[in-house]
């Protein structure tokens, strides 16, 4: 069994993918060829956003979004301490300061109530991550940002295709950023990403920043980056889009298979009623994680941990931590365990994984306590007055 089965996906779409790749080899426009514009139009239509700009990765999308907003040294951006490093890293790369707010225990997404306490006169943006495939509470965050006129950037690297109150992830705030890294729900065969916005001025800025701040060839109106997504990768995404809705259904079916066996037995990260998840991950909480993983591995079942160390505990970011202000992130980092997931994980395999997990969590041959306890409550974090965050 594989953690993410990209091979079955390729075999299922092989004719489409090979045909799309061959078309690029035939026309030879490897940079900003016709597939780039075609993909941008398709993704804009799918999300409902006025503009889609493809870029070289999800990380570069975040950097370009911050640059287009003019965020710079001295500015603060409120983000999550419990995610992949890229969001906080992008903030650092433009010279601004990430300010962390703790996450919701039920979803792992940024807790809007705690974001409210972190807003200062220097706050220029809120940067939530739609973790594991489920949109963050975007309307609550938009409502916080609105009176201050600050931007909300959704890191939707894991959630392209998910919905929030009937709207599409990536089209829920000022700017949406996604990634086509191969293992994401919509992946290419290398690096790629995209930016989404309804704002014409930001869209123009992001298009120019993507190509060295060029407005016209060799006319540089601003400082940019080399951040294009190449035509071949756009062609791969175009081919994969044909089956993407089916794949989302299958991911949700696999998640339902897991839910049916696990939800009453173990704490499982929840999907809220007003949104859907594309299940980039299916994540449960276990105690004694190393032991559970070891037992699963012995049963031939691969697992992963997203993410074992919260960002404020990383050496390069530790100076941004404020005391023990992120207890939920810390607790999740200790206990999260992601199970094999993907559109080609059939029900029988999901059931085998679930049964093996329940077995691995039982106090088994090696004795000891049950390996899982109920989920931590958010109460203390929610009512504690905010502690000022060091701004270096
Ligand atoms: C994968 C990921 C990114 C970065 O995307 P790349 O395309 O690998 O640069 C950013 N944020 C989150 C939440 C991710 O999962």
């Amino acid at each position: 069994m594989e953690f993410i089965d990209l091979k079955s996906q390729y075999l299922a779409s092989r004719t489409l993918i090979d045909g799309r790749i061959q078309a690029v080899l035939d026309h030879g426009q490897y940079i900003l060829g016709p597939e780039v514009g075609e993909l941008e139009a398709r993704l804009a239509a799918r999300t409902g956003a006025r503009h889609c700009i493809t870029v070289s990765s999800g990380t570069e999308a975040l950097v370009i979004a911050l640059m287009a907003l003019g965020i710079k040294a001295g500015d603060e951006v409120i983000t999550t301490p419990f995610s992949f490093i890229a969001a906080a890293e992008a903030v650092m790369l433009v010279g601004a300061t990430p300010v962390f707010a703790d996450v919701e225990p039920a979803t792992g997404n940024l807790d809007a109530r705690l974001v409210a306490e972190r807003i200062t006169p220097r706050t220029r943006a809120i940067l939530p991550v739609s973790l594991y495939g489920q949109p963050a509470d975007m309307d609550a965050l938009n409502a916080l940002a609105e009176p201050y006129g600050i931007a909300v950037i959704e890191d939707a690297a894991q959630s392209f295709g998910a919905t929030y109150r009937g709207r599409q992830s990536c089209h829920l705030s000022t700017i949406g950023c996604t990634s086509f890294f191969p293992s994401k729900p919509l992946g290419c065969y290398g690096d790629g990403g995209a930016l989404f916005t309804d704002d014409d001025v930001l869209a123009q800025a992001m298009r120019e920043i993507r190509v060295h701040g060029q407005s016209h060839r060799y006319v540089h109106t601003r400082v940019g980056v080399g951040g294009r997504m190449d035509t071949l990768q756009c062609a791969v995404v175009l081919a994969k889009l044909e089956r993407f809705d089916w794949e989302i259904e299958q991911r949700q079916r696999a998640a339902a298979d897991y839910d049916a066996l696990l939800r009453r037995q173990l704490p499982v990260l929840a999907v809220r009623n007003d949104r859907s998840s594309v299940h980039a991950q299916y994540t449960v909480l276990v105690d004694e994680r190393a032991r559970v993983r070891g037992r699963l591995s012995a049963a031939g079942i691969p697992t992963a941990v997203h993410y074992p160390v919260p960002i404020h505990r990383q050496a390069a970011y530790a100076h941004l931590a404020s005391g023990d202000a992120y207890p939920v992130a810390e607790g999740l980092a200790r206990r999260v365990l992601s199970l094999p997931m993907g559109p080609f994980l059939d029900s029988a395999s999901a059931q085998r994984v679930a049964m093996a997990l329940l077995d691995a969590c039982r106090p088994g041959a090696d004795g000891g306590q049950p390996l899982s306890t109920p989920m931590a409550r958010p109460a203390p974090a929610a009512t504690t007055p905010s502690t000022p965050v060091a701004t270096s």
Side-chain angles (χ1 to χ4, degrees):
M1 182 176 295
E2 297 191 52
F3 185 70
I4 298 177
D5 183 0
L6 291 176
K7 185 152 187 217
S8 295
Q9 186 198 44
Y10 171 61
L11 294 177
S13 293
R14 182 176 205 157
T15 314
L16 276 168
I17 293 170
D18 290 3
R20 279 286 190 174
I21 290 175
Q22 188 60 51
V24 176
L25 298 175
D26 288 340
H27 68 56
Q29 296 176 58
Y30 302 117
I31 299 296
L32 297 181
E35 285 79 2
V36 178
E38 184 183 349
L39 179 62
E40 290 174 348
R42 288 280 299 276
L43 298 180
R46 193 189 160 93
T47 56
R50 255 171 89 78
H51 304 279
C52 168
I53 297 119
T54 56
V55 292
S56 54
S57 72
T59 305
E60 208 60 18
L62 292 161
V63 171
I64 293 172
L66 293 161
M67 289 174 75
L69 289 162
I71 292 173
K72 56 183 186 318
D75 296 338
E76 295 175 356
V77 176
I78 302 173
T79 190
T80 168
F82 184 64
S83 180
F84 184 58
I85 198 76
E89 181 181 48
V91 174
M92 297 284 273
L93 279 172
V94 300
T97 304
V99 172
F100 299 117
D102 209 356
V103 296
E104 304 169 339
T107 64
N109 276 329
L110 202 52
D111 187 330
R113 293 168 308 168
L114 300 176
V115 169
E117 300 171 0
R118 301 287 187 189
I119 294 176
T120 75
R122 293 203 209 185
T123 308
R124 292 290 313 281
I126 303 172
L127 204 179
V129 175
S130 292
L131 196 69
Y132 302 147
Q134 170 177 216
D137 196 356
M138 297 302 292
D139 280 351
L141 296 168
N142 289 332
L144 285 177
E146 225 238 81
Y148 301 99
I150 60 182
V152 178
I153 305 167
E154 182 194 13
D155 178 348
Q158 301 179 5
S159 63
F160 187 84
T163 60
Y164 175 90
R165 300 180 182 169
R167 286 132 56 207
Q168 291 284 324
S169 182
C170 288
H171 186 221
L172 300 173
S173 63
T174 322
I175 299 174
C177 298
T178 198
S179 163
F180 305 119
F181 186 84
S183 60
K184 308 289 180 180
L186 182 61
C188 59
Y189 289 151
D191 279 307
L195 289 146
F196 297 83
T197 188
D198 284 340
D199 184 312
D200 297 345
V201 174
L202 282 175
Q204 179 66 23
M206 296 190 297
R207 271 189 200 287
E208 291 181 12
I209 292 167
R210 170 176 74 171
V211 193
H212 306 288
Q214 274 192 169
S215 59
H216 301 90
R217 181 162 250 198
Y218 306 132
V219 179
H220 302 273
T221 55
R222 58 183 100 228
V223 175
V225 298
R228 294 165 301 223
M229 181 165 167
D230 63 70
T231 313
L232 275 168
Q233 299 302 343
C234 290
V236 171
V237 177
L238 278 166
K240 287 205 193 175
L241 262 181
E242 300 300 326
R243 289 174 67 93
F244 186 52
D245 286 319
W246 176 86
E247 290 195 355
I248 292 174
E249 280 168 30
Q250 292 305 310
R251 286 175 173 278
Q252 291 171 344
R253 187 265 315 142
D257 289 336
Y258 278 146
D259 277 348
L261 286 166
L262 297 177
R263 200 162 267 294
R264 273 192 290 278
Q265 314 282 331
L266 282 176
V268 170
L269 285 232
V271 179
R272 301 246 190 239
N273 290 333
D274 61 351
R275 55 203 95 162
S276 68
S277 175
V278 289
H279 294 286
Q281 310 300 340
Y282 185 94
T283 303
V284 300
L285 303 185
V286 294
D287 296 329
E288 298 195 46
R289 181 172 59 200
R291 191 156 66 129
V292 172
R293 288 191 83 185
R295 287 182 180 181
L296 285 170
S297 171
I301 294 169
T303 56
V305 175
H306 309 98
Y307 296 87
V309 180
I311 297 171
H312 64 278
R313 297 275 179 203
Q314 300 285 354
Y317 298 80
H319 64 288
L320 303 167
S322 73
D324 52 0
Y326 322 103
V328 181
E330 306 248 340
L332 288 173
R334 265 195 303 277
R335 299 177 70 207
V336 284
L337 182 67
S338 300
L339 305 181
M341 172 45 79
F344 296 90
L345 184 81
D346 60 29
S347 293
S349 303
Q351 281 157 16
R352 182 162 88 77
V353 173
M355 298 313 287
L357 173 65
L358 292 175
D359 202 44
C361 288
R362 232 163 252 138
D366 49 350
Q369 297 300 306
L371 298 186
S372 187
T373 52
M375 214 164 333
R377 296 264 74 135
T383 52
T384 306
S386 73
T387 317
V389 173
T391 54
S392 87

Coordinates of all heavy atoms in Angstrom, one line a residue, residues 21 24 33 42 56 62 88 92 133 147 154 165 182 208 224 262 272 293 297 301 328 334 336-337 348 379 382:
I21 N 1.1 16.2 -23.0 CA 2.6 16.5 -22.9 C 3.1 16.5 -24.4 O 3.9 17.3 -24.8 CB 3.3 15.4 -22.1 CG1 2.9 15.6 -20.6 CG2 4.8 15.4 -22.3 CD1 3.5 14.6 -19.6
V24 N 2.7 19.7 -26.2 CA 3.7 20.8 -25.9 C 5.0 20.5 -26.6 O 5.6 21.4 -27.1 CB 3.9 20.8 -24.3 CG1 5.0 21.8 -24.0 CG2 2.6 21.2 -23.6
G33 N 3.6 29.1 -22.8 CA 2.9 28.6 -24.0 C 1.4 28.6 -23.8 O 0.9 29.0 -22.8
R42 N -9.3 28.1 -17.2 CA -10.1 27.0 -16.7 C -10.2 27.1 -15.2 O -11.3 26.9 -14.6 CB -9.4 25.6 -17.0 CG -9.6 25.2 -18.5 CD -11.0 24.6 -18.8 NE -11.2 23.4 -18.0 CZ -10.8 22.2 -18.4 NH1 -10.2 22.0 -19.5 NH2 -11.1 21.1 -17.7
S56 N 5.4 29.3 -10.3 CA 6.3 28.2 -10.2 C 6.2 27.2 -9.0 O 6.7 26.1 -9.1 CB 7.8 28.7 -10.3 OG 8.0 29.6 -9.2
L62 N 2.7 32.4 -2.5 CA 2.6 33.2 -1.3 C 3.5 34.4 -1.3 O 3.1 35.5 -0.9 CB 2.9 32.3 -0.1 CG 1.9 31.1 0.1 CD1 2.5 30.0 1.0 CD2 0.7 31.7 0.8
A88 N 4.6 31.0 6.8 CA 5.5 31.8 7.7 C 6.8 32.2 7.0 O 7.3 33.3 7.1 CB 5.8 31.1 9.0
M92 N 8.5 35.9 6.1 CA 9.9 36.3 6.5 C 10.7 36.7 5.2 O 11.5 37.7 5.3 CB 10.7 35.0 7.1 CG 10.1 34.5 8.3 SD 10.5 35.6 9.8 CE 12.1 34.8 10.2
G133 N -7.1 20.1 3.5 CA -8.1 20.1 2.5 C -9.4 20.8 2.8 O -10.3 20.9 2.0
P147 N -12.7 46.0 8.7 CA -12.7 47.4 9.3 C -11.3 48.0 9.2 O -11.2 49.2 9.2 CB -13.1 47.2 10.7 CG -13.3 45.7 10.9 CD -13.2 45.0 9.6
E154 N -5.5 33.4 1.5 CA -5.8 32.0 1.8 C -4.6 31.1 1.3 O -4.4 31.1 0.0 CB -7.1 31.5 1.3 CG -7.4 30.0 1.7 CD -8.6 29.4 0.9 OE1 -9.0 30.0 -0.2 OE2 -9.0 28.3 1.3
R165 N -19.3 27.4 2.4 CA -20.6 28.1 2.3 C -20.9 28.2 0.8 O -21.3 29.3 0.3 CB -20.6 29.4 3.0 CG -20.4 29.2 4.5 CD -20.3 30.5 5.3 NE -20.1 30.1 6.7 CZ -19.8 30.9 7.7 NH1 -19.7 32.2 7.4 NH2 -19.5 30.5 8.9
P182 N 3.2 17.5 -6.6 CA 2.6 16.2 -7.1 C 1.6 15.6 -6.1 O 0.6 15.0 -6.5 CB 3.8 15.3 -7.3 CG 4.9 16.3 -7.7 CD 4.7 17.5 -6.9
E208 N 3.0 40.8 -13.3 CA 4.3 41.4 -13.5 C 5.4 40.8 -12.6 O 6.5 40.6 -13.1 CB 4.2 42.9 -13.4 CG 3.3 43.5 -14.5 CD 3.2 45.1 -14.4 OE1 4.0 45.7 -13.6 OE2 2.4 45.6 -15.1
G224 N 10.6 42.0 -9.2 CA 9.8 40.8 -9.3 C 10.7 39.6 -9.0 O 11.8 39.7 -8.4
L262 N -13.8 4.8 12.3 CA -12.9 5.4 13.3 C -13.6 6.4 14.2 O -13.2 6.6 15.3 CB -11.8 6.0 12.6 CG -10.9 5.1 11.8 CD1 -9.8 5.9 11.1 CD2 -10.2 4.1 12.7
R272 N -16.3 20.8 9.1 CA -17.5 21.5 9.5 C -18.7 21.4 8.5 O -18.4 21.2 7.3 CB -17.1 23.0 9.7 CG -16.0 23.2 10.6 CD -16.4 24.0 11.8 NE -15.3 24.4 12.7 CZ -15.2 24.1 13.9 NH1 -16.1 23.3 14.5 NH2 -14.2 24.5 14.6
R293 N 2.6 4.2 14.9 CA 3.2 4.2 13.6 C 4.0 2.9 13.3 O 4.0 2.3 12.3 CB 4.1 5.4 13.4 CG 3.4 6.7 13.2 CD 4.3 7.8 12.8 NE 4.4 7.7 11.3 CZ 5.3 8.5 10.6 NH1 6.1 9.3 11.2 NH2 5.3 8.4 9.3
S297 N 3.3 0.3 10.4 CA 4.4 0.0 9.5 C 4.6 -1.5 9.4 O 4.8 -2.0 8.3 CB 5.6 0.8 9.9 OG 6.7 0.5 9.1
I301 N 1.4 -0.7 6.4 CA 0.6 0.5 6.2 C 1.4 1.8 6.5 O 1.9 2.0 7.6 CB -0.6 0.5 7.1 CG1 -1.5 -0.7 6.7 CG2 -1.4 1.8 7.0 CD1 -2.6 -1.0 7.6
V328 N -2.8 24.5 21.6 CA -3.6 23.6 20.7 C -2.6 23.1 19.6 O -2.6 21.9 19.3 CB -4.8 24.3 20.1 CG1 -5.5 23.3 19.2 CG2 -5.7 24.8 21.2
R334 N 1.9 16.9 18.6 CA 2.3 15.7 19.3 C 1.5 14.5 18.9 O 2.0 13.4 19.0 CB 2.1 15.9 20.8 CG 3.4 16.3 21.5 CD 3.3 16.2 23.1 NE 2.1 16.9 23.6 CZ 2.1 18.2 23.9 NH1 3.2 18.9 23.8 NH2 1.0 18.7 24.4
V336 N -1.0 14.2 15.9 CA -1.6 14.0 14.6 C -0.9 12.8 13.9 O 0.3 12.7 14.0 CB -1.6 15.2 13.7 CG1 -2.6 16.3 14.1 CG2 -0.2 15.8 13.6
L337 N -1.7 12.1 13.2 CA -1.3 11.0 12.3 C -2.1 10.9 11.1 O -3.3 10.8 11.2 CB -1.4 9.7 13.1 CG -0.8 8.4 12.4 CD1 0.7 8.5 12.2 CD2 -1.2 7.2 13.1
A348 N -12.2 -1.4 0.6 CA -11.6 -2.5 1.3 C -10.2 -2.1 1.9 O -9.9 -2.4 3.0 CB -11.4 -3.7 0.3
A379 N -10.8 25.8 25.7 CA -11.2 26.9 26.6 C -10.1 27.7 27.1 O -10.2 29.0 27.0 CB -12.0 26.3 27.7
A382 N -8.8 30.2 24.6 CA -9.7 31.2 24.0 C -9.9 32.3 25.0 O -10.3 33.4 24.6 CB -11.0 30.5 23.8

